[in-house]
Amino acid sequence: MDTLYREEILEHYKFPRNRGCLPHPDITYKDTNPLCGDEVQIDLSVKEGKIAEVKFQAKGCAISQAATSMLTDMIEGKSLEEIKKLGKKEILEVLGIELGPVRLKCALLCLKVLKSGVYGIKEWPT
Ligand code: FES
């Protein structure tokens, strides 16, 4: 299976960016992939409506972990409005490989977690 992954996906899987948790996140959200039970949690610190810091914890396959690592790299400094506009296309672009329906759920779990967290926020610190 590893031969199907691009080198960058493996790199993110082996050396994930932003792994961990924030002590006092402004937003935190966790969800699971219903097909396998794997989990992703994303913590965000928000300043003036923008992502100041992001950390994640994930239990899951290489695709879900690499996609989460890549997503967290992508969102630092972005506004919450920009996050709301992120879609499947952006995740698939950074992964750069074709995915079947099962693997697609793995790849998109992080986006679901991120957007659920961001949409759940009622107000944020300025
Ligand atoms: Fe569980 Fe991919 S197999 S997230």
Side-chain angles (χ1 to χ4, degrees):
M1 192 72 189
D2 278 8
T3 52
L4 295 176
Y5 298 166
R6 286 194 356 182
E7 215 169 277
E8 204 181 338
I9 294 175
L10 280 174
E11 233 270 314
H12 274 266
Y13 175 58
K14 288 182 188 160
F15 308 104
R17 322 295 194 268
N18 306 306
R19 185 182 280 280
C21 54
L22 295 176
H24 306 291
D26 297 305
I27 300 175
T28 185
Y29 200 88
K30 176 160 86 175
D31 207 346
T32 58
N33 180 341
L35 298 177
C36 60
D38 291 342
E39 287 178 359
V40 169
Q41 176 175 328
I42 296 180
D43 293 349
L44 301 171
S45 149
V46 182
K47 294 223 168 26
E48 297 173 355
K50 291 191 173 166
I51 307 299
E53 210 178 342
V54 52
K55 292 281 182 196
F56 81 95
Q57 298 172 76
K59 272 194 290 178
C61 64
I63 289 286
S64 79
Q65 302 215 27
T68 309
S69 171
M70 288 170 163
L71 178 69
T72 60
D73 249 5
M74 194 198 298
I75 63 170
E76 228 168 60
K78 286 207 186 303
S79 72
L80 296 178
E81 291 314 308
E82 287 174 300
I83 301 289
K84 288 178 183 174
K85 289 182 195 145
L86 282 178
K88 176 174 149 179
K89 188 173 150 269
E90 284 79 6
I91 303 287
L92 296 181
E93 260 173 28
V94 290
L95 282 169
I97 57 168
E98 291 284 322
L99 296 171
V102 172
R103 288 288 164 184
L104 198 56
K105 281 216 183 301
C106 301
L108 297 180
L109 177 60
C110 56
L111 184 64
K112 186 178 164 202
V113 168
L114 176 68
K115 291 184 88 162
S116 301
V118 167
Y119 273 103
I121 193 170
K122 299 285 182 279
E123 56 186 27
W124 50 85
T126 54

